[in-house]
Amino acid sequence: QVLMTDLTMDTGVQELLVKAEQETIETAFQRAKEQEPHCKFGLTGVCCRRCLQGPCRVTFNGNKGVKRGVCGATADQIVARNLLSLIVEGTTPHVEHAREILHTLLETAEGKAPYEIKGKEKLIAIGKQLGLMVDGVELDKLAREVALIALQDFQQQSGVSHWLRLRAQEQSVETWEKLNILPSNAHLEIANAINKTAMGCESDPVSLLLAIMKMGLVEGYDGLHLSTDLQDILFGTPRLVKTQYRMGVIKEDYVNIAVHGHIPMVSEKILEWSRKLNNKAQALGAQGINIVGICCSANELLMRQGVAVATNYASQELAIITGALEAMVVDAQCIMPGLAQVAECYHTELISTLPNIKIEGASHVDWTPEAADQMGEEIVRRALAHYPERDQSKVRIPGDTVEAYAGFSVEQIVELLAALNGPDPLLPLIEAIAQGDILGVVAIVGCTNPKVKQDWANTEVAKELMRNNVLVVATGCSAHSLGKNGLLSPAGLQYCGEKLASVLTAIGQANGLPALPPALHMGSCVDNSRIDDLLVALATRMGVAVRELPVAGSSPENHSPKALSIGTFFIAQGVDVHIGVNAPITGSPLVEQALTANKGEFSVTTDELFGGKLIYEADPIQAAQTMIVRIMQKRQALGLVC
Ligand code: SF4
Ligand code: FE2
């Protein structure tokens, strides 16, 4: 008998899982159990399906079983090729995301798309950094020029990615140049990587590992950074906002629309049209239209608009099981196909929006930059039309909500610090780190995964770090885990060590707040770029390389290949990255050792080449302690108080 309390920490989700069971509706939580025990060949990465001589399975523990596939491929070769494939699958959705925002910005600048440029300061700053003339230039013209430079990162056949040049620290670029892994054009690099992994192409595991690191840079610059920068230009840079978390943000007496996925061009338009058509809801006897977020669509609207968050990845189906959603609007990434079966049991319309991403069983309203308004209006009108169809006997919304703060862009963090030191805002933070009041900084990022009790590992890692005076920043669905459990609110200060609590209180009070929350919510998964920007700014101000900083990244409940490609990006920067669900690499001693620097005789490791490594640890307390040991080593090397 599986207990709901073993599946998730979220009491609202537990309540809805009981409802799902009563109504015989299947969810990811049950399906995850049905998959156990998992195939060891798959788990360790030694299953190859690259050609029709196979599939081949080779030994995953080095002794039992066959040593080579039909073509002669070894475990090291198979694992390295599979990992490169996985990293490409993590990178590509972010590169597509960046390409879509790029075209939206370009069409907006040319007057063809119904968006406006709200991030004037960001546009001017980026224009300047790209070497463009900005003084007296019209915003539209400047935006067009910026978009066209970004477009070169998808077209040029040689040269280095413009966004890498724009955002990377010079010391890192030197390392990557020596290793010959500087990317040029995101599409070209993705095609190259797929070509490498094709049957009968590359089989040198070391060369494949370098291709993996190069793909990490594609992810970082022409995925994450490009997406965040252009989104800030179009929608504005996030500022401090206050909001609510948990299923209770779905309101019984409102027309409820959930936005789910990642693409703010879709969710911003839904929000805009919900405001325009709000009075139509009142005509139906509802109080109004209520937009709630799931996954990173939630993060985008939360960061810029303060929209409330219903839930995160693993429990997305449960939002429909409240019986109170008129529509769930999805775009790309992390959309469970299982949503369609759940929606069928209610009046909820599941609506896909991206021309390239259709969902079986969902209806579809096409988003394109030009047709964004038609999409927004059509979807909100459909949701309104479904409100009278709601079956009140099936409605059950778990009541509680939790207060949270978000909107911690680098610009916002610097502004908050400026209240302590206007001319040199980063200095108070650097001094706190140097004195050991802040031991280090760890980013808690990524997903939830039904293999792990939902929100538990994310929250436990965070609390253990806070207790040890480590400053936590967060993004993605992990940030939602922290939000649901009170760690994005000043009330969460109770979990911090005394020194960290006093720093957060001092910064907060200098800005008219009781304190800053113990975890700073920096945005969506693409906004891991903001964390990178913060690291580059800190390292540059301290006069050191990013790889020397006492920092780490952690994805305690990772499920998506995106978590691995983002992790690869940070390892390439020289930052250790912890994962709580292992990557399929343990079938290859060579690949495992190269990434984790843990054991064996293999001589080349990412730790030596880049200064960062992969840490696998399922136990959250142990994971936090392992990161702290590394932070202490880096502090010692910098001569900081230990
Ligand atoms: Fe087997 Fe080689 Fe084909 Fe992979 S590429 S399935 S190892 S024969
Ligand atoms: Fe995400």
Side-chain angles (χ1 to χ4, degrees), residues 120 123-125 127-128 132-143 145:
K120 183 180 161 193
L123 172 61
I124 291 173
K128 265 190 202 155
L132 296 171
M133 176 70 160
V134 297
D135 292 333
V137 178
E138 278 172 34
L139 282 189
D140 284 353
K141 191 163 171 282
L142 183 57
E145 283 182 66

Side-chain angles (χ1 to χ4, degrees), residues 100-169:
E100 270 152 5
I101 177 72
L102 188 168
H103 282 287
T104 308
L105 181 65
L106 189 59
E107 295 196 24
T108 302
E110 292 175 348
K112 296 176 193 159
Y115 293 90
E116 58 177 300
I117 292 162
K118 292 185 181 150
K120 183 180 161 193
E121 284 168 20
K122 189 94 174 203
L123 172 61
I124 291 173
I126 289 174
K128 265 190 202 155
Q129 284 169 292
L130 288 170
L132 296 171
M133 176 70 160
V134 297
D135 292 333
V137 178
E138 278 172 34
L139 282 189
D140 284 353
K141 191 163 171 282
L142 183 57
R144 188 171 182 277
E145 283 182 66
V146 167
L148 289 176
I149 291 177
L151 194 56
Q152 288 178 28
D153 281 2
F154 295 84
Q155 292 173 330
Q156 64 185 10
Q157 297 299 303
S158 60
V160 177
S161 151
H162 291 81
W163 244 258
L164 183 146
R165 288 269 185 233
L166 182 72
R167 290 295 180 209
Q169 197 193 25

Side-chain angles (χ1 to χ4, degrees), residues 262 296 334 476 525 562:
H262 284 78
C296 279
C334 300
C525 296
K562 294 180 290 175

Side-chain angles (χ1 to χ4, degrees), residues 102-394:
L102 188 168
H103 282 287
T104 308
L105 181 65
L106 189 59
E107 295 196 24
T108 302
E110 292 175 348
K112 296 176 193 159
Y115 293 90
E116 58 177 300
I117 292 162
K118 292 185 181 150
K120 183 180 161 193
E121 284 168 20
K122 189 94 174 203
L123 172 61
I124 291 173
I126 289 174
K128 265 190 202 155
Q129 284 169 292
L130 288 170
L132 296 171
M133 176 70 160
V134 297
D135 292 333
V137 178
E138 278 172 34
L139 282 189
D140 284 353
K141 191 163 171 282
L142 183 57
R144 188 171 182 277
E145 283 182 66
V146 167
L148 289 176
I149 291 177
L151 194 56
Q152 288 178 28
D153 281 2
F154 295 84
Q155 292 173 330
Q156 64 185 10
Q157 297 299 303
S158 60
V160 177
S161 151
H162 291 81
W163 244 258
L164 183 146
R165 288 269 185 233
L166 182 72
R167 290 295 180 209
Q169 197 193 25
E170 202 40 56
Q171 290 95 315
S172 302
V173 179
E174 278 169 26
T175 304
W176 303 331
E177 195 160 20
K178 276 190 210 135
L179 293 168
N180 197 22
I181 59 166
L182 285 173
S184 173
N185 152 350
H187 283 171
L188 187 95
E189 304 304 352
I190 288 169
N192 261 327
I194 295 174
N195 187 38
K196 277 175 185 289
T197 58
M199 197 276 152
C201 288
E202 189 150 282
S203 64
D204 176 356
V206 176
S207 182
L208 286 161
L209 280 164
L210 287 170
I212 285 165
M213 300 312 292
K214 188 179 197 180
M215 195 47 52
L217 299 182
V218 175
E219 163 69 288
Y221 295 107
D222 286 312
L224 311 181
H225 275 286
L226 187 55
S227 297
T228 301
D229 281 341
L230 301 190
Q231 283 171 186
D232 279 358
I233 290 175
L234 207 54
F235 301 115
T237 300
R239 291 274 177 263
L240 191 63
V241 289
K242 194 174 165 185
T243 194
Q244 300 288 319
Y245 263 93
R246 292 187 171 235
M247 290 291 187
V249 304
I250 299 171
K251 295 182 193 156
E252 191 155 0
D253 46 355
Y254 279 73
V255 174
N256 292 300
I257 304 176
V259 289
H260 172 25
H262 284 78
I263 312 294
M265 293 82 87
V266 172
S267 48
E268 284 272 353
K269 275 291 166 194
I270 301 294
L271 182 68
E272 186 185 324
W273 277 95
S274 75
R275 287 171 179 164
K276 284 183 182 162
L277 297 174
N278 196 48
N279 58 353
K280 304 274 181 212
Q282 285 148 7
L284 292 169
Q287 299 282 328
I289 303 175
N290 180 37
I291 304 291
V292 300
I294 299 175
C295 288
C296 279
S297 292
N299 281 320
E300 298 288 358
L301 287 190
L302 163 60
M303 290 288 285
R304 296 193 183 84
Q305 308 263 10
V307 165
V309 181
T311 201
N312 48 0
Y313 172 78
S315 47
Q316 55 187 271
E317 294 160 305
L318 283 304
I320 300 179
I321 293 173
T322 60
L325 285 189
E326 276 54 60
M328 182 182 278
V329 185
V330 300
D331 46 60
Q333 305 169 38
C334 300
I335 317 294
M336 288 187 189
L339 286 171
Q341 281 71 53
V342 180
E344 258 176 31
C345 306
Y346 297 90
H347 72 301
T348 311
E349 184 173 355
L350 179 68
I351 308 172
S352 59
T353 50
L354 293 191
N356 284 331
I357 312 249
K358 306 271 165 62
I359 313 285
E360 185 182 359
S363 55
H364 185 82
V365 180
D366 229 11
W367 171 86
T368 60
E370 315 88 72
D373 271 328
Q374 288 91 313
M375 176 218 64
E377 182 174 3
E378 169 69 19
I379 289 177
V380 174
R381 285 192 187 279
R382 286 194 194 185
L384 286 162
H386 292 310
Y387 181 70
E389 298 162 12
R390 195 193 286 180
D391 178 349
Q392 291 301 338
S393 71
K394 283 188 172 179

Side-chain angles (χ1 to χ4, degrees), residues 46-58 68-74 78 81-82 197-200:
V46 293
C47 171
C48 183
R49 292 180 289 113
R50 291 192 189 279
C51 86
L52 309 185
Q53 299 170 91
C56 297
R57 301 176 307 179
V58 302
R68 288 178 184 265
V70 174
C71 66
T74 62
I78 291 172
R81 281 193 312 212
N82 284 348
T197 58
M199 197 276 152

Side-chain angles (χ1 to χ4, degrees), residues 110-111 132 141 146 150 153 218 258 279 336-337 401 480 506 512 522 544 571 590 596 598 604 641:
E110 292 175 348
L132 296 171
K141 191 163 171 282
V146 167
D153 281 2
V218 175
N279 58 353
M336 288 187 189
T401 60
H480 295 327
M522 295 188 73
V544 301
I571 290 173
L590 184 150
T596 63
N598 258 348
V604 184
V641 176

